[in-house]
Amino acid sequence: MKQSILLITIALMVGTISCQEPESPQGLPACLERYVEEHQSISVNKGQYKGEAYYVVNPDCCDMFVELLNDRCEYICAPSGGFTGSGDGTCPAWVQDWEATEEVWRRE
């Protein structure tokens, strides 16, 4: 009987731990915090171009676009991802040689 209670207690604890909400993406612009929560993003990288901050939002699953947003969460383009892996083909020329090297958030 004690073993049954112990097993049930352990099962409930494991279930509770695995159902916790992911950590909130703090340190990002408020609109980007909401964006990554709504879109189930896996990580966000930041880069600068001509003094402006831009963010690369990486999806958590396959065949989805990697999105480039500015600090107001305005969509710029998808530099990669999608079915072909080549993005959406709408990126400005500067994106080709640009990198977002600073990881500013990752879902745990």
Side-chain angles (χ1 to χ4, degrees):
M1 179 70 169
K2 288 184 181 182
Q3 286 181 332
S4 297
I5 293 173
L6 180 61
L7 289 175
I8 291 171
T9 303
I10 291 172
L12 288 173
M13 287 174 57
V14 169
T16 302
I17 291 170
S18 64
C19 291
Q20 290 179 346
E21 290 292 316
E23 187 175 314
S24 177
Q26 299 174 2
L28 299 177
C31 66
L32 202 53
E33 286 183 21
R34 288 188 304 275
Y35 189 90
V36 297
E37 289 174 359
E38 292 169 3
H39 291 84
Q40 299 297 310
S41 305
I42 192 73
S43 67
V44 177
N45 289 47
K46 179 180 178 181
Q48 298 280 328
Y49 180 72
K50 292 190 176 181
E52 298 279 332
Y54 290 91
Y55 296 88
V56 173
V57 180
N58 299 294
D60 70 347
C61 191
C62 42
D63 296 332
M64 296 176 72
F65 286 129
V66 172
E67 297 180 325
L68 177 62
L69 308 173
N70 64 17
D71 61 355
R72 295 174 303 283
C73 294
E74 296 169 335
Y75 179 85
I76 306 301
C77 67
S80 63
F83 292 115
T84 66
S86 300
D88 65 5
T90 65
C91 289
W94 63 265
V95 174
Q96 185 173 357
D97 297 321
W98 178 81
E99 289 185 52
T101 56
E102 179 187 358
E103 185 175 86
V104 292
W105 178 79
R106 174 172 291 280
R107 185 174 305 279
E108 305 251 344

